Amino acid sequence: SSGINAEWPLRPGDIEKIVRDLDYHALQTNIMNVAFCDTKSQDFMDVDEDIIKLYRLGQYTIEYLLHCQEYLSHGTVELETKLREALRFRNEVKEKLEIK
C-alpha cells in the first residue's frame, strides 16, 4: 500500500492518461480530493514526514489557486453584467439618435 487514500477515484494509470490527454476536466473533478485530503489520517501514517510536508505545500497552493479561480470567475460575471448594461445603453442611445 502506498499510504495514500485508497478511496480516491484515480489509479496510477489514470494519472498518466490525464497528463497524456491534457484532461483538464478530470483534473478539475479530482482537485478537491487532493486539496482537502486529511494528511493526518491513517492513510498517511506510513508516509515520510518530508513527503507529507511537500504534499501539504501542494495542498495550500491548490487552495490558493482555487481561491484565484473563484475570484476571477466572480469578476468575469460582474464584467459580463456591465457589458450587457453598456450594450443596452448604447442601443438606447442609437435608437434615440436615429429617431431625430
Side-chain angles (χ1 to χ4, degrees):
S1 171
S2 65
I4 305 299
N5 186 344
E7 295 182 26
W8 283 8
L10 289 176
R11 294 178 309 278
D14 294 338
I15 295 168
E16 292 166 8
K17 183 179 183 319
I18 289 170
V19 171
R20 183 181 63 247
D21 297 345
L22 298 174
D23 188 350
Y24 297 110
H25 177 72
L27 287 174
Q28 188 71 31
T29 300
N30 289 288
I31 201 165
M32 300 307 252
N33 292 329
V34 175
F36 301 106
C37 176
D38 181 8
T39 57
K40 294 178 183 162
S41 73
Q42 288 219 240
D43 292 325
F44 285 85
M45 190 169 58
D46 297 328
V47 178
D48 181 77
E49 188 64 32
D50 289 334
I51 298 296
I52 291 175
K53 287 177 186 176
L54 284 172
Y55 188 88
R56 292 186 70 207
L57 179 61
Q59 285 181 306
Y60 295 137
T61 302
I62 291 169
E63 287 183 52
Y64 169 75
L65 292 173
L66 287 171
H67 170 75
C68 291
Q69 181 181 38
E70 181 66 30
Y71 177 80
L72 292 171
S73 292
H74 180 72
T76 300
V77 170
E78 284 184 20
L79 289 173
E80 287 172 344
T81 300
K82 288 179 181 181
L83 175 62
R84 279 193 297 277
E85 290 171 2
L87 290 172
R88 192 174 315 120
F89 178 74
R90 182 201 68 165
N91 289 337
E92 289 173 8
V93 170
K94 184 178 177 184
E95 286 176 13
K96 287 179 183 177
L97 290 173
E98 288 174 353
I99 290 174
K100 293 183 179 184

